[in-house]
């Protein structure tokens, strides 16, 4: 699924809490494959993308700062980008473009996405219904569910 897997993980996990960890594993696999494809695009096609960045206001100075950040702390940037809600695809493309070694990149993506999706799955599994009731109380009406 192109886009954040949380958008499917949360409602599917709420609909069937015992299966939420299986759904999380599929989310981890999909996000890892998507990240690897994005890294490959960055590594192989950044020369094509770079001029387009200039059209949207990303100049040489910003690219130089990003390059230094990825050269000095590449796998850490990737790890953090896979855990917190940033555009992971952009970070993965930049990691490929700025030369983050593939083994470091792949390990960071797998670990980061595993942490994120297992935390989300655990919250959904053990606190999901409670959170839904709190949200319903806050908005003053029941949330429509497909069951």
């Amino acid at each position: 699924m192109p886009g954040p897997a949380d958008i499917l993980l949360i409602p599917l996990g709420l609909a069937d809490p015992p299966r939420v960890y299986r759904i999380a594993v599929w989310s981890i696999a999909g996000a890892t494959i998507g990240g690897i494809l994005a890294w490959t695009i960055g590594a192989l096609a950044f020369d094509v993308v770079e001029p387009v960045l200039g059209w949207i206001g990303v100049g040489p100075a910003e690219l130089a700062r990003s390059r230094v950040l990825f050269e000095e702390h590449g796998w850490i940037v990737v790890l953090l980008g896979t855990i917190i809600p940033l555009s992971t695809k952009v970070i993965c493309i930049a990691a490929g473009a700025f030369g983050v070694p593939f083994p470091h990149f792949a390990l960071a993506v797998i670990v980061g996405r595993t942490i994120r999706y297992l935390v989300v799955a655990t919250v959904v599994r053990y606190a999901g219904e409670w959170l839904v009731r709190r949200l319903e109380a806050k908005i003053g009406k029941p949330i429509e569910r497909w069951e």
Side-chain angles (χ1 to χ4, degrees):
M1 176 185 118
D6 310 70
I7 292 173
L8 283 179
L9 177 59
I10 293 169
L12 290 175
L14 287 171
D16 193 357
R19 290 185 52 206
V20 72
Y21 290 109
R22 196 169 341 151
I23 298 165
V25 168
W26 283 106
S27 298
I28 294 163
T32 301
I33 292 167
I36 290 169
L37 289 173
W39 182 91
T40 304
I41 289 168
L44 300 177
F46 191 67
D47 293 339
V48 175
V49 175
E50 191 172 5
V52 175
L53 293 175
W55 298 343
I56 61 171
V58 179
E62 290 89 356
L63 286 175
R65 280 194 301 274
S66 295
R67 184 178 305 278
V68 168
L69 179 67
F70 276 91
E71 287 172 353
E72 293 177 0
H73 309 288
W75 71 270
I76 295 171
V77 173
V78 173
L79 179 67
L80 292 175
T82 58
I83 295 172
I84 59 178
L86 291 176
S87 176
T88 304
K89 296 302 184 256
V90 171
I91 290 171
C92 293
I93 290 170
F98 299 138
V100 175
F102 182 77
H104 300 157
F105 166 80
L107 184 61
V109 168
I110 292 167
V111 169
R113 283 306 188 189
T114 299
I115 291 169
R116 179 174 175 152
Y117 294 138
L118 289 183
V119 166
V120 170
T122 301
V123 169
V124 167
R125 175 71 171 103
Y126 296 105
E129 282 302 316
W130 178 80
L131 290 170
V132 168
R133 285 192 307 274
R134 295 264 325 222
L135 182 60
E136 288 174 337
K138 185 139 184 107
I139 64 173
K141 64 179 183 176
I143 296 173
E144 186 176 328
R145 300 180 194 210
W146 296 351
E147 294 184 41

